[in-house]
Amino acid sequence: MREFLTYHETIQGHSKKTVDEYFLDLRTFFRYIKIEKNRVPRSAPLEEISISDVDLALIKSVTLADIYAYLSFLSRDRVKNAKNPGAGFGLAASSRARKVATIRSFYKYLVTKAKLLEESPIQELDSPRMRQALPRYLTLDESIQLLESIDGDNAERDFCIITLFLNCGVRISELVGLNLTDIRGDRMRVLGKGNKERVVYLNAACQNAIEDWLEVRSRSGAVDPYALFITRKHTRITKAGVHYMLKQRFTAAGLDSSKYSAHKLRHTAATLMLQNGVDVRTLQEVLGHEHLNTTQIYTHVDSDALQNAAQSNPLSQIKTKPRRGRPKKAPQNEG
């Protein structure tokens, strides 16, 4: 398992956070399997089961039926939050799908890379079906409303952060990691998932917002001299700090802060670009998505577009009314 995790971090280039999630997924899975295979008493608390004795024999013994039983356990009996048992039971389909992907990747590694298995016992495993929900986003008017409401302390910084979210669609992890050296005129270097670099072009609004913020930033020292965005204490701003700031700004703008977040601003940027003519493949590059199907969740259409589609039907203007009365009989075919 350690070799599998090292492979994903060093060869596949996945972030430490992603690799940590892989480990947690596999640990929970093999804890469950140890119970199912009678390696430990069924009464043993799941969170206390050690996986240090998991061997190749146990790994080989896993069947497709075991995986389906595990998925049933996740959907019915697994606590939603191990730190808060009162949160309820049953993981969402998206969480279960991620765990399936981890297990499938682990067994694929054992077959194709480590050569410890001849075939994967779960190669026919299907991922849980997920409900496709449309991303929540701000309208153009709401976006302008949010920007125009920014004032007071840290106004230049917060305006710049929200402007980058709304215009560039960056992730919050990418934003807090930005350095001064990442800004080069109309270009911004972004370090995305898996340490993959991409260049995002800055429009006039972004350049002006950055220029205004840098003028303020230059007048205050910084504990981290490289960080683009800093706090009042002159330290690099954190994700938690951005989340807190956004909640304050949403509320001040008269928007429901429980419905919107940094990621919803990313949704907003993607939606506004698509609505104004950006094709989905270009958007894929802007957002830094590895797979096109990830970007395609943004190809939803709003209610105005649906209404226009209905009105565009050539039959939409037909005013003929149905005739009342009994229908005429078709003429008999004599002969």
Side-chain angles (χ1 to χ4, degrees):
M1 188 183 299
R2 185 179 294 110
E3 292 172 356
F4 165 75
L5 299 173
T6 300
Y7 168 77
H8 274 276
E9 187 167 4
T10 59
I11 304 301
Q12 294 294 322
H14 292 156
S15 68
K16 184 179 183 300
K17 181 179 179 181
T18 298
V19 173
D20 288 344
E21 291 293 336
Y22 285 170
F23 168 72
L24 295 176
D25 288 344
L26 291 175
R27 185 178 66 177
T28 302
F29 172 65
F30 283 115
R31 281 173 168 172
Y32 175 85
I33 292 298
K34 285 185 67 175
I35 294 176
E36 290 298 302
K37 302 294 183 181
N38 299 315
R39 291 282 191 101
V40 295
R42 286 194 171 272
S43 59
L46 186 71
E47 303 302 327
E48 297 178 11
I49 297 174
S50 170
I51 62 168
S52 61
D53 59 342
V54 170
D55 53 18
L56 192 59
L58 180 65
I59 293 172
K60 286 182 176 180
S61 72
V62 173
T63 65
L64 197 57
D66 292 329
I67 305 294
Y68 286 133
Y70 177 62
L71 291 177
S72 178
F73 160 75
L74 292 178
S75 65
R76 295 172 180 268
D77 304 317
R78 179 63 170 161
V79 292
K80 292 183 177 180
N81 186 343
K83 296 181 180 179
N84 180 19
F89 297 86
L91 300 185
S94 57
S95 297
R96 286 181 276 128
R98 193 201 70 199
K99 295 181 186 300
V100 166
T102 299
I103 297 168
R104 183 184 285 114
S105 179
F106 178 63
Y107 274 93
K108 181 180 178 181
Y109 170 82
L110 294 178
V111 173
T112 61
K113 302 298 180 182
K115 308 294 184 183
L116 294 175
L117 296 179
E118 291 185 3
E119 63 179 9
S120 169
I122 62 170
Q123 58 187 2
E124 301 299 326
L125 178 65
D126 296 323
S127 293
R129 186 182 298 276
M130 293 185 288
R131 181 175 65 89
Q132 290 292 336
L134 295 179
R136 187 186 298 275
Y137 61 95
L138 297 176
T139 64
L140 176 59
D141 288 342
E142 288 172 332
S143 300
I144 296 173
Q145 177 182 332
L146 174 61
L147 289 169
E148 290 182 342
S149 70
I150 299 174
D151 59 9
D153 295 340
N154 300 309
E156 291 83 3
R157 183 201 67 185
D158 296 353
F159 184 88
C160 185
I161 287 175
I162 293 175
T163 297
L164 291 181
F165 277 137
L166 288 173
N167 284 272
C168 304
V170 292
R171 301 178 178 95
I172 187 170
S173 58
E174 296 169 344
L175 182 130
V176 299
L178 287 172
N179 292 322
L180 294 170
T181 54
D182 291 327
I183 307 299
R184 289 285 184 270
D186 66 344
R187 302 183 184 190
M188 180 171 69
R189 171 185 169 273
V190 175
L191 189 62
K193 285 187 175 181
N195 293 322
K196 295 177 180 177
E197 292 185 13
R198 71 181 187 278
V199 172
V200 175
Y201 285 86
L202 302 171
N203 57 27
C206 291
Q207 292 181 61
N208 291 336
I210 290 174
E211 183 178 343
D212 291 342
W213 160 238
L214 290 181
E215 183 178 348
V216 174
R217 188 194 181 286
S218 65
R219 296 197 296 266
S220 59
V223 176
D224 185 342
Y226 303 105
L228 176 59
F229 295 111
I230 58 176
T231 67
R232 249 183 281 181
K233 296 181 179 179
H234 311 304
T235 58
R236 179 185 292 270
I237 197 168
T238 63
K239 289 191 286 186
V242 174
H243 283 307
Y244 177 79
M245 177 273 289
L246 288 176
K247 281 189 173 295
Q248 304 301 310
R249 295 302 186 183
F250 284 133
T251 301
L255 301 169
D256 189 343
S257 62
S258 66
K259 292 182 178 180
Y260 298 106
S261 63
H263 204 64
K264 299 302 185 291
L265 296 183
R266 177 171 161 88
H267 289 333
T268 300
T271 302
L272 292 177
M273 288 184 210
L274 279 173
Q275 289 177 343
N276 287 274
V278 177
D279 66 86
V280 69
R281 288 198 174 275
T282 300
L283 184 61
Q284 178 188 4
E285 295 295 325
V286 172
L287 298 178
H289 286 157
E290 184 175 359
H291 302 291
L292 183 62
N293 59 358
T294 307
T295 315
Q296 287 174 334
I297 67 169
Y298 296 108
T299 57
H300 56 80
V301 290
D302 57 27
S303 57
D304 289 341
L306 293 174
Q307 185 177 9
N308 290 336
Q311 296 299 329
S312 298
N313 191 308
L315 297 176
S316 65
Q317 303 301 319
I318 298 298
K319 297 181 179 179
T320 302
K321 295 182 178 180
R323 296 179 179 178
R324 296 182 179 274
R326 298 175 63 183
K328 296 180 179 179
K329 291 184 178 180
Q332 297 288 333
N333 184 8
E334 299 179 2

